[in-house]
Amino acid sequence: MYRYDEYDQSIVDARVDEFRDQVRRRLAGEITEDQFKPLRLMNGLYLQLHAYMLRVAVPYGTLDSRQMRMLAHVARTYDRGYGHFTTRQNIQYNWIRLDQAPDILAELATVEMHAIQTSGNCIRNISSDQYAGAAADEVADPRPWAELIRQWSTFHPEFTYLPRKFKIAVIAAEEDRAAMRLHDIGIRLTRRDGVLGATVFVGGGMGRTPMIAHEIRDFVTADDLMSYLEACLRVYNRYGRRDNIYKARIKILLHEIGPDEYRRQVEEEFAKVKALGIDPPAAELARITAMFAPPAFDPAAAGDVADRSDPDFAVWLDQNVRAHRQPGYAIVNISLKPVGGIPGDASADQIDVMADLAQRYGFDELRVTHAQNIVLPHVRIADLKAVWSALVDAGLAEANLDLISDIIACPGLDYCSLANARSIPLAQKIGERFADPARQRDLGELKLKISGCINACGHHHAGHIGILGVDRKGTENFQLLLGGSGAEDVSLGRITGPGFDEDGVVDAIERVTDKYLEVRETGERFVDTYRRVGMTPFKEAIYG
Amino acid sequence: MAEEAAYLHFRDDSPHEEPAVTLDSFLADQSNATAVRVEPGDEARALIPHLDRLALIEVSFPSFRDGRGYSTARILREAGYRGELRAEGDVLVDQIPLMRRCGFDSFAPAAPIDAAVLQRSLARYPQPYQKAADGAVPVWKLRHG
């Protein structure tokens, strides 16, 4: 885990002081709401339908038990006793008072946390693979590179008033668990002739015009990475569109000038920027990397679960536990998707339970996933039963990872001032319709994602099944999409046809899954079948 | 003292008073001018051959949300421009520290700036994470020398 030194701490402390001053000036009427808005947004504070929402950064989704307990404390003290984990691997609180926001930031700063750049037209929290440091298929731990980028992008003086928000993801495996190519910049670490470097993809994103990022540079070494990113951002800052908020993301710039022309401009800029000496020395990446050294695994740890006699435990093992690269250890996924629950929500007590488990059984580490679940990345196989029992007691043992009820959903019209439709009640209805665990397991991997408006915070374009809530003449209407993926087989979903009301879309999903069961071939996931047979059979099943 | 607040100057010389000509005019037929005004969409690099003859480059911020001028400033400083670099228009107090880092050393904000707030803002951050145009030593340099 990364640990702040005096420099990191002083910057975060200064930010608390700065934000306190900004809030004071706003409350005193010295600045207008229009002027305050970009300042509070740069600190993750949104004005929603009922209250302020505060989004706290969890850099690359990694945190320890002390930080996790602080998140529980904030939920208890300043909110209504719960928090909502987001698709950006952050957490947000929906019932915050403006005058208390500086105090929350001050408390967070005591555990090396903040809300810097969790909103606004700037470089946002860097996201990464939730299995980093535990997965067998990674070429290196991507998080030191993500931390290097975090520091470079924090209060970057040139890139704080970009045309639009800017999201960067860093992964280091062929399997993409972070939707890397749906980011403004996606980075995949790779080795060439023994040297670690980055393949850089630019111009992905969801929103109303979803696009998959183009490969812009096949290999950049760590020595050049900051200069290269600075060039990528400078071209965007200068030439990205500012006349229309819906065309302001970098994906539109790439679409309009083409990836080749963008690449040419970046290379030209890079040649100039590289001469400025803005790249940190290799010693800085080495310093950070040392903090992500593997924990002290027990080489004698047993490799198998001794007792699978409890059928519920066995199902959870098969569904939520993944292989670790260290013999005798496993990766535990804690589902925040109980049937009838709100996807990504956890109570303060549940957050504390997860912190306790991480401390006792997991080398003090937790991860937030973009699918709005929590991961304990390093658990001894011999401890899995004890972890599971504690999760059962806390209502956190839902065995549905990557199944149809493991739904990604935005907060929707229950909270968000941008939304057209309510995502949460729909997610609950779908969960209830498919509540039978055996039925879910029979359907297999099926990623269902719901957005309550076209901004696509719920990643509906990347769902094997996606749902988009729209406003149709004053009533909530849901469009159904099929065939998207945010993984290494990245693709964008297609709309099936006319939309539905809330019950109608649940029925339509059931017709789609029934059709899948009817036509699938051995070993095919839903999305594989869709790719083989195309839209037509599903369309007939839905509208027939 | 509203007049005093209209200019903020971080240079040893006094603010350049000659009215700035537009970039287009300068390039077309007013190349004797010593002050040029650059709009957000202008190609600042067109000035690079002329930088040693200019005393003032005024970068316009029609809206505080339009961040193109930050890149303009850095490009001009990176090209070696040493003269007065002024941010003019919708410039807010919380933006001035970032603008200073990009190389601006003069400000003509449309609305007056609270001097006490500005002073606190400029003094607040002990060091930056990244190297920019202002000569501040970045954290990685402090860590590794």
Side-chain angles (χ1 to χ4, degrees):
Chain A
M1 285 259 322
Y2 187 71
R3 289 284 168 223
Y4 282 8
D5 64 8
E6 59 189 297
Y7 301 116
D8 299 304
Q9 190 65 51
S10 67
I11 287 170
V12 168
D13 290 343
R15 178 51 148 186
V16 175
D17 181 65
E18 179 177 45
F19 191 62
R20 201 180 281 288
D21 191 55
Q22 289 167 346
V23 169
R24 184 196 58 74
R25 282 185 278 139
R26 174 69 195 116
L27 293 174
E30 292 172 26
I31 47 177
T32 65
E33 173 54 26
D34 192 43
Q35 292 169 335
F36 181 57
K37 188 177 172 187
L39 303 177
R40 65 170 164 76
L41 285 182
M42 226 79 80
N43 235 321
L45 196 65
Y46 285 76
L47 189 54
Q48 297 204 119
L49 288 175
H50 312 292
Y52 282 97
M53 179 271 274
L54 178 67
R55 184 180 294 149
V56 176
V58 181
Y60 30 90
T62 292
L63 71 176
D64 65 15
S65 62
R66 187 178 61 131
Q67 294 171 321
M68 192 74 164
R69 284 196 191 95
M70 176 57 79
L71 298 182
H73 168 71
V74 170
R76 239 180 234 118
T77 312
Y78 301 98
D79 202 281
R80 297 187 176 178
Y82 58 92
H84 177 77
F85 290 96
T86 78
T87 58
R88 296 287 306 154
Q89 301 176 286
N90 293 322
I91 184 169
Q92 57 197 41
Y93 299 100
N94 284 310
W95 304 95
I96 295 300
R97 280 172 41 188
L98 176 59
D99 62 326
Q100 291 185 330
D103 295 334
I104 300 173
L105 296 183
E107 295 222 44
L108 290 168
T110 65
V111 295
E112 305 175 15
M113 295 188 88
H114 58 75
I116 295 165
Q117 289 168 214
T118 54
S119 179
N121 292 335
C122 52
I123 301 170
R124 303 288 191 87
N125 184 39
I126 314 298
S127 56
S128 189
D129 183 346
Q130 68 270 19
Y131 296 166
D137 62 347
E138 69 185 16
V139 299
D141 192 325
R143 291 171 300 164
W145 292 59
E147 174 60 24
L148 207 59
I149 298 169
R150 182 192 75 83
Q151 296 189 21
W152 162 77
S153 61
T154 297
F155 306 134
H156 195 295
E158 188 177 339
F159 306 133
T160 298
Y161 291 87
L162 294 168
R164 199 74 180 83
K165 59 188 169 184
F166 204 92
K167 300 176 180 178
I168 301 178
V170 187
I171 66 171
E174 285 296 322
E175 185 179 334
D176 181 359
R177 292 173 283 260
M180 180 273 287
R181 289 191 66 190
L182 295 170
H183 283 73
D184 295 282
I185 289 184
I187 290 172
R188 189 174 62 217
L189 300 191
T190 180
R191 258 181 224 288
R192 179 179 287 182
D193 303 327
V195 177
L196 192 59
T199 304
V200 180
F201 299 83
V202 183
M206 291 190 250
R208 68 180 59 199
T209 317
M211 290 185 189
I212 296 167
H214 305 270
E215 185 181 313
I216 293 297
R217 182 68 117 80
D218 61 347
F219 197 75
V220 188
T221 62
D223 296 342
D224 288 340
L225 185 66
M226 295 312 132
S227 287
Y228 192 76
L229 294 180
E230 190 124 335
C232 288
L233 266 293
R234 180 174 287 178
V235 170
Y236 170 56
N237 190 43
R238 299 187 74 204
Y239 302 115
R241 287 181 62 171
R242 291 174 187 266
D243 59 324
N244 180 339
I245 187 176
Y246 301 115
K247 294 184 175 176
R249 295 285 289 270
I250 195 172
K251 64 193 172 187
I252 303 294
L253 175 65
L254 263 91
H255 181 69
E256 290 183 351
I257 68 175
D260 291 337
E261 173 60 15
Y262 176 76
R263 181 183 299 112
R264 189 193 66 74
Q265 293 186 18
V266 169
E267 291 296 335
E268 201 175 283
E269 196 67 50
F270 172 63
K272 299 186 177 84
V273 170
K274 184 59 198 169
L276 302 174
I278 66 166
D279 289 288
E284 177 60 4
L285 184 58
R287 182 188 76 90
I288 296 169
T289 302
M291 287 191 253
F292 289 98
F297 293 121
D298 176 2
D304 289 309
V305 177
D307 179 7
R308 290 175 54 98
S309 59
D310 184 323
D312 291 340
F313 175 54
V315 164
W316 178 82
L317 278 179
D318 294 339
Q319 200 61 50
N320 284 31
V321 178
R322 293 287 190 266
H324 198 288
R325 67 167 172 245
Q326 177 73 20
Y329 288 81
I331 301 169
V332 169
N333 286 276
I334 303 173
S335 169
L336 301 183
K337 318 291 176 62
V339 169
I342 297 175
D345 269 21
S347 70
D349 291 346
Q350 289 177 322
I351 294 172
D352 276 337
V353 167
M354 292 187 275
D356 292 345
L357 289 173
Q359 188 170 30
R360 183 156 176 204
Y361 299 110
F363 293 101
D364 208 27
E365 248 196 71
L366 302 113
R367 310 285 172 78
V368 184
T369 82
H370 88 274
Q372 303 180 281
N373 293 315
I374 300 294
V375 165
L376 303 176
H378 315 296
V379 177
R380 271 176 80 122
I381 288 173
D383 292 330
L384 288 171
K385 186 74 182 280
V387 169
W388 174 75
S389 298
L391 291 173
V392 169
D393 292 344
L396 289 168
E398 196 76 27
N400 63 350
L401 185 75
D402 294 340
L403 301 181
I404 192 169
S405 63
D406 183 9
I407 297 169
I408 290 180
C410 71
L413 195 52
D414 290 295
Y415 294 103
C416 179
S417 51
L418 301 174
N420 297 126
R422 287 168 298 154
S423 313
I424 293 170
L426 176 59
Q428 291 167 325
K429 272 195 181 166
I430 295 168
E432 282 153 16
R433 178 72 62 94
F434 291 91
D436 176 6
R439 184 184 184 193
Q440 288 191 46
R441 288 198 299 281
D442 184 34
L443 287 171
E445 181 186 304
L446 211 170
K447 299 189 178 183
L448 194 148
K449 311 188 184 194
I450 307 172
S451 302
C453 81
I454 201 147
N455 291 308
C457 297
H459 293 189
H460 65 276
H461 299 295
H464 296 168
I465 295 178
I467 299 166
L468 166 64
V470 295
D471 177 277
R472 201 163 134 262
K473 295 174 190 154
T475 58
E476 293 171 54
N477 188 267
F478 296 93
Q479 294 179 346
L480 190 61
L481 295 85
L482 302 178
S485 171
E488 64 283 359
D489 62 347
V490 62
S491 59
L492 301 171
R494 282 179 53 214
I495 295 176
T496 56
F500 311 87
D501 64 13
E502 191 177 274
D503 289 321
V505 78
V506 181
D507 292 339
I509 291 165
E510 195 164 31
R511 283 185 219 117
V512 165
T513 56
D514 285 348
K515 175 55 69 176
Y516 159 64
L517 293 177
E518 184 192 319
V519 302
R520 74 176 166 188
E521 291 179 355
T522 311
E524 270 185 348
R525 302 172 300 162
F526 167 79
V527 71
D528 301 325
T529 302
Y530 171 84
R531 286 171 181 166
R532 178 172 56 79
V533 306
M535 178 66 93
T536 309
F538 293 104
K539 219 168 166 166
E540 285 169 5
I542 299 167
Y543 301 103
Chain B
M1 292 286 122
E3 289 86 351
E4 282 186 18
Y7 270 117
L8 295 161
H9 202 65
F10 296 85
R11 296 174 60 88
D12 294 334
D13 54 6
S14 51
H16 191 75
E17 298 290 355
E18 183 197 346
V21 301
T22 66
L23 179 65
D24 284 349
S25 308
F26 177 80
L27 295 174
D29 52 15
Q30 290 186 270
S31 60
N32 289 333
T34 57
V36 180
R37 178 180 171 86
V38 179
E39 298 296 336
D42 286 347
E43 181 44 77
R45 288 202 162 101
L47 280 176
I48 289 178
H50 315 284
L51 292 179
D52 55 352
R53 293 193 290 104
L54 293 174
L56 170 66
I57 299 175
E58 188 173 78
V59 178
S60 155
F61 287 85
S63 157
F64 72 83
R65 290 188 192 81
D66 190 333
R68 284 177 285 185
Y70 296 80
S71 289
T72 301
R74 286 201 66 189
I75 284 167
L76 293 171
R77 289 301 189 206
E78 285 161 16
Y81 177 63
R82 299 287 181 111
E84 182 176 345
L85 188 56
R86 185 184 295 165
E88 182 278 332
D90 195 9
V91 174
L92 307 180
V93 63
D94 294 279
Q95 298 181 308
I96 289 177
L98 296 172
M99 290 179 166
R100 293 280 294 131
R101 297 218 62 218
C102 289
F104 287 106
D105 52 14
S106 170
F107 301 88
I113 296 284
D114 184 320
V117 174
L118 177 62
Q119 204 172 12
R120 283 202 300 278
S121 293
L122 288 170
R124 184 168 281 122
Y125 286 93
Q127 67 279 312
Y129 272 122
Q130 58 297 94
K131 190 171 169 185
D134 60 344
V137 181
V139 167
W140 53 260
K141 180 90 177 157
L142 295 169
R143 284 177 179 141
H144 302 285

